[in-house]
Structure formats: structure tokens, C-alpha cells
Amino acid sequence: MLEYKIDVISELSKVGINTTTAKQSGIFAQATMKKFKGKDTNISLDNLNRLCCVLEMQPRDIIKYVETKQDEEDIISKIREIKQTK
């Protein structure tokens, strides 16, 4: 599962971007700003690119991967099953 390492809204605010300026400039849609506020990492790579550009950060500065039980069950176990059959 991906999680934000930073408070995106707070970091955007530091560079002068709020919901209104994001919408007026076309940098981020209102729906994307809602995702940032809700800590929803389900954003497009284009939006991640824009975020990196605006905040002058690398993706690794913004998001991190945290393995969950669901990841273990849905992804890793399937890879193990394939390896065992070979």
C-alpha cells in the first residue's frame, strides 16, 4: 500500500497553492486536491509528476510503500505459488 510521507496540503500551502489556486491555474483538479486532503494515494502519474515539480521533490520524498496483509495475500502469495510450480 502506498502512503504519503508528507502532508501534501501543508506542503502545497508552503509554496502558495491552495484549492482555489490549484483549480484556477489548472495544476490540480478539485478531485485531486480532495484526494490529497483525504490522504488518498490513488492519483495518476501525471499528478504525481506535477506534485514533484511544484514541491521540487522526488517521488520517494512524497510517497512510501508499506506492506499490508492484503498485499501479502493478493500479490506476494501469487508469486510464491508460481515459483513453486516451476
Side-chain angles (χ1 to χ4, degrees):
M1 168 181 273
L2 296 177
E3 293 180 359
Y4 289 111
K5 293 170 80 173
I6 61 170
D7 180 338
V8 176
I9 294 298
S10 175
E11 293 298 319
L12 286 172
S13 180
K14 289 178 186 176
V15 296
I17 297 175
N18 59 27
T19 303
T20 304
T21 57
K23 184 179 176 182
Q24 289 175 345
S25 66
I27 295 173
F28 298 112
Q30 186 174 5
T32 303
M33 292 297 287
K34 276 182 125 175
K35 287 182 178 186
F36 293 153
K37 286 180 184 176
K39 302 188 186 320
D40 181 351
T41 56
N42 189 20
I43 62 171
S44 69
L45 287 177
D46 182 54
N47 280 318
L48 180 59
N49 182 64
R50 291 171 188 223
L51 195 56
C52 289
C53 179
V54 168
L55 298 179
E56 297 180 353
M57 293 181 174
Q58 293 295 315
R60 70 176 168 267
D61 300 325
I62 299 170
I63 57 175
K64 65 180 176 179
Y65 171 73
V66 177
E67 188 174 311
T68 64
K69 187 69 175 166
Q70 192 69 37
D71 292 339
E72 172 72 31
E73 292 170 2
D74 294 345
I75 302 167
I76 298 170
S77 65
K78 290 179 182 177
I79 294 170
R80 287 184 185 136
E81 287 174 18
I82 290 170
K83 287 182 178 180
Q84 289 175 356
T85 60
K86 289 185 178 185

